[in-house]
Amino acid sequence: MATVLICRRVPRLSRVTPFVTTAKHKAHSRGSKSKQEKEENPETTNTETESAATIHLLKPLDYRVLYNPSAYAKSRAASQQHASGSKGQALSDAFTSPGATQVQQTFGPTSSQALPPIRRALPKPKAEPLPEQTDSGCSSAAQTQQEAEESQRERHDSKEDPRVFQKGRPEYRSLCYDRFEAVETLPLEEGEWILDSMAISEGSQSPGTTADRFCQLSRLPVAQHAALLSDPRFNVLCQCAVRNIRDFSTPDLIHLLKACVRLAVPPRHPLLAACEGEFCRRVWDMNLEQLLLVADCWRCLERHVPSYLSILFSYANMHWKDLTLPQFVQLMYIIGEGRRAPVDLEQKVESMILKCLDSFTLEEVGAVCLGLFKSLSAVSEHVMRRIADRVALQMEDMSTYALVNVLKVLRYTRMDHLPLLKELGKVIPARVPTVNIQGIMHITLTCSSLHYFDEGIMAAVAMSLPSKVTYCRSKDAAKFLWSFGCLDYEPPNEEEFYSSLIEQMCRKLHEFRKYPEHLLTGLLGLAFVKRFPEELIDYALRAEFVQKTRGSKYELQKDLFTLGRSVEIECPSYQGSRLPAQLYQEMTEMALTFAEEEIYVRPEIMEATSLLESMLGGPEYVKSHMILPHTRSSDLEVHLAADGHPIPFNSKDPVVNKKLKGIGVSLTDDLMTQLIKGSSSSLSPGGVGNKARPPGEERKEAAGAPRAVLSGGALITDTGLEMKPKSGCWLEASSPQQPQEVKLAIQVSNRNHYCCCSKRLLGLHRLKRRQLRQLGYAVVELPFWEWFPLLKRTRLEKLSYLHYRVFDPTLLSRA
């Protein structure tokens, strides 16, 4: 058997240290695939080989290392995606095939080479089989069975999984369509006879007979349904039903609709349009059971019926007191699947949840939560807390699918229910290997959205994910990267974990054209943990992609701003696409405007600013602003000399400007000549500029010298002059720092900067402090757990605390 060696490209990454990763990918073709499968995953790998790749990543300047759930056992789309393994190689799929050559390239810190050096290990020779290993068929069969079980776990049926709760009570049989109901199969000969009789009579049968014919034909073998729908004789039967639709009794019309569900009639079929209009007309003559059953049939047929649902919700609103528990849960299911939340029902829904909460089965709790989440219904904190209280007590008995539905609403309401989250850390890690990839994504995303870090959950996800990564949609891969980056967690298998997800992002590159937000989500998550896959970044910063983000329903300009500036600071040798200066300027102005209205005016920041000015000698010694606008938080900047004395630098402060206004200057011819020709004459030998000055005077002059600061895509000096840097080099134009000067970036933190109930800094704020240090700032924090209680203490205590923080000897020793 020949061994084929395939060499594939690796996405270029910028990272502090090289990493070694071994990834396994196994895929088998499984028969014919649908068009939808091919669109979902047009490029996948088809290899069963195992390889190791050592990747040396581009090293930016001055880098330092700081850092069954049976419901989830059915993902049809995911398993089909995994099965389409013979459709070609994926972009940058370099970790799955052995290489027979060794490629080396050397880069300096500012190299402009396209790819980092890559070393591929030769595959180890296979050992000769022992005499006892003669029956390889057994291991092959076991492997096939294991893969089949894994594929089964990854299956998720978006139509059927949310309906699991309907199996919990017999009352649901009259409220919903049961596709698993046993029906007697109709012989083909009898089906032919029915169709022939319809053709002979030219559709003149009574409505009852027509409905009966539909029901009989729907019992034909499933393999015959497609042929039946295209049969001209069946079309005659449909036309007869449409003509006489108003003559059908309501039970006959419902039987007709159920037959259409069994036959899988296309959603836009004229017969269904006629049925929808007739059901809308006679809603007020039907009972609630019939209305919910019809709504369930529309869901099974995947037909969008907003008019019918509006009337149904109005009917339910009028008969709210008559709703039974199963009727309410089925109504919540319909509300969720219709993605509509009737405003006039919101309060009634909450009261019904509180009334029935203890009587719900756990699957019904999950169904109600899914309905709330899909319809984006407003949920009060009181109701959500009651739901979470019950789930926390019975989580072990709850299916993972129902539990994930509860987590979705918890995430949507932004409520950190600690008892539930702590119980989640006990229950979920053991379940992760058996949970489908979308379920794992929602669990991980809930933890990051609520800023809740549980190492047991995150480690279990990280260990399980590489073997499941080919099932990830672009959304799943992006959310995993964001969640781990947001919580600033790099798992024990970090290189395998991150390389597998980056590979999947490259495979799904075609999906980002339609969903640009997912690419930016993933890249920001990687940036938080100091990983920069340069080929993906180059794609994200291209003009074509930036244009696509403008058409998104999400606000993506802020994410582009954060990504673009982070690449410029942390990857000085990056040679790819960059954002236009105009976008930088727009986003900088927007960030500064927001800060002036929302951040600078916060009491904890205003108090710190005022006290620092008083302690250091005035407003010219402190500047409250955004040193890095792309990180979306403010800083208090202070400059200290090596001897600890503060240096005035904030010449733009209004107080300083007022002092300058009082100075009068006469415009003489000599002064005008100096202004026009510049100050070169003052620096000539024997000029005024060479006269000796006292040391104190020199320091004052140095402190008052023009100083460059970043504003948008250009540098603005204190003199008002603008220096536009070359693309990608704005950091090089910063003004020279005074000798032995320490620049402090004082952070007034709050709870939103940290993980819930911990002192673990979140990814965005870790990124900000890392970049401040790289730009030469010493980061000083006023942590909220120390500073906020001090706000209620005496002025002397606050000044003493600030003095201790600012004049830290360890900071001055670095000068």
Side-chain angles (χ1 to χ4, degrees), residues 240-273:
C240 175
V242 171
R243 283 196 304 269
N244 302 318
I245 197 75
R246 293 207 170 190
D247 297 330
F248 280 79
S249 66
T250 297
D252 285 341
L253 197 58
I254 293 175
H255 288 315
L256 173 63
L257 190 63
K258 291 174 70 175
C260 290
V261 175
R262 276 193 293 270
L263 291 170
V265 175
R268 296 186 179 181
H269 197 282
L271 176 59
L272 297 185

Side-chain angles (χ1 to χ4, degrees), residues 69 84 111 144 212 257 274-275 330 375 387 456 458 523 556 583 712 767:
S84 59
S111 170
T144 303
D212 185 60
L257 190 63
C275 288
Q330 180 67 16
S375 61
I387 294 174
M458 304 302 288
L523 289 177
L556 302 180
L583 189 145
L767 171 143

Side-chain angles (χ1 to χ4, degrees), residues 64 66 627-628 634-638 742-749 754 761 765-783 805-806 808 810-811 814:
R64 291 178 297 174
L66 296 173
I627 299 175
L628 300 176
S634 70
D635 316 270
L636 299 177
E637 186 172 355
V638 171
V742 181
K743 294 189 298 183
L744 303 185
I746 301 174
Q747 314 283 294
V748 183
S749 65
Y754 289 85
L761 203 62
H765 303 286
R766 179 78 67 186
L767 171 143
K768 174 185 175 179
R769 298 187 185 190
R770 187 175 72 230
Q771 292 179 1
L772 284 171
R773 292 188 183 98
Q774 191 157 341
L775 295 180
Y777 286 89
V779 178
V780 177
E781 182 182 8
L782 307 183
R805 282 291 181 184
V806 171
D808 186 347
T810 59
L811 296 176
R814 298 175 189 171

Side-chain angles (χ1 to χ4, degrees), residues 509-738:
L509 201 61
H510 61 283
E511 294 185 12
F512 297 130
R513 299 187 187 100
K514 185 176 181 181
Y515 305 105
E517 63 274 10
H518 297 331
L519 178 58
L520 294 179
T521 295
L523 289 177
L524 282 179
L526 287 167
F528 292 163
V529 292
K530 210 174 185 181
R531 293 175 183 267
F532 299 92
E534 297 193 357
E535 289 185 4
L536 290 175
I537 290 171
D538 175 67
Y539 181 85
L541 300 184
R542 290 178 190 172
E544 304 91 324
F545 185 84
V546 173
Q547 187 60 36
K548 289 184 182 297
T549 63
R550 295 184 183 276
S552 173
K553 62 180 180 179
Y554 302 99
E555 175 52 58
L556 302 180
Q557 305 305 302
K558 293 179 182 178
D559 293 342
L560 280 170
F561 184 39
T562 302
L563 178 64
R565 282 301 192 215
S566 295
V567 170
E568 290 185 1
I569 294 174
E570 303 208 50
C571 303
S573 59
Y574 169 75
Q575 299 294 321
S577 303
R578 296 184 185 274
L579 295 176
Q582 182 181 358
L583 189 145
Y584 281 144
Q585 185 174 357
E586 291 175 1
M587 296 312 300
T588 299
E589 292 174 356
M590 185 181 300
L592 296 178
T593 301
F594 172 79
E596 290 174 356
E597 296 175 354
E598 301 290 338
I599 299 180
Y600 302 154
V601 295
R602 291 175 181 170
E604 65 272 17
I605 294 178
M606 293 181 66
E607 182 74 356
T609 305
S610 174
L611 290 170
L612 284 172
E613 290 175 354
S614 174
M615 182 178 73
L616 299 176
E620 63 269 26
Y621 293 91
V622 184
K623 186 172 185 179
S624 178
H625 68 132
M626 283 183 167
I627 299 175
L628 300 176
H630 65 277
T631 59
R632 311 169 194 177
S633 56
S634 70
D635 316 270
L636 299 177
E637 186 172 355
V638 171
H639 292 191
L640 299 178
D643 59 3
H645 286 83
I647 300 174
F649 69 98
N650 187 18
S651 59
K652 289 188 177 182
D653 189 274
V655 178
V656 179
N657 290 338
K658 287 180 181 179
K659 293 179 181 178
L660 294 176
K661 287 179 182 178
I663 301 175
V665 179
S666 301
L667 290 177
T668 64
D669 292 339
D670 292 339
L671 180 57
M672 289 298 297
T673 303
Q674 291 180 21
L675 291 174
I676 294 172
K677 292 183 178 180
S679 59
S680 58
S681 60
S682 65
L683 301 177
S684 60
V688 180
N690 280 336
K691 291 183 179 180
R693 298 181 179 87
E697 228 177 281
E698 289 180 356
R699 177 178 296 176
K700 290 179 181 178
E701 183 175 317
R707 185 172 166 279
V709 295
L710 175 67
S711 176
L715 288 167
I716 309 293
T717 67
D718 287 346
T719 59
L721 299 178
E722 181 176 348
M723 298 186 295
K724 291 189 177 179
K726 297 179 181 179
S727 176
C729 302
W730 60 275
L731 293 172
E732 300 174 3
S734 59
S735 63
Q737 184 174 318
Q738 297 302 319

Side-chain angles (χ1 to χ4, degrees), residues 329-391:
V329 177
Q330 180 67 16
L331 178 64
M332 290 303 302
Y333 164 76
I334 296 299
I335 289 174
E337 297 305 304
R339 282 10 184 227
R340 295 191 57 194
V343 179
D344 53 347
L345 290 182
E346 285 183 359
Q347 291 185 349
K348 295 180 179 179
V349 165
E350 290 203 349
S351 64
M352 193 70 170
I353 291 174
L354 294 175
K355 176 183 176 181
C356 302
L357 183 58
D358 294 334
S359 302
F360 288 145
T361 66
L362 293 173
E363 290 299 323
E364 287 173 333
V365 172
V368 169
C369 287
L370 184 61
L372 293 171
F373 177 76
K374 284 187 173 182
S375 61
L376 300 179
S377 299
V379 185
S380 67
E381 182 178 346
H382 174 63
V383 171
M384 192 64 244
R385 193 165 296 280
R386 286 286 307 277
I387 294 174
D389 287 342
R390 180 176 176 196
V391 171

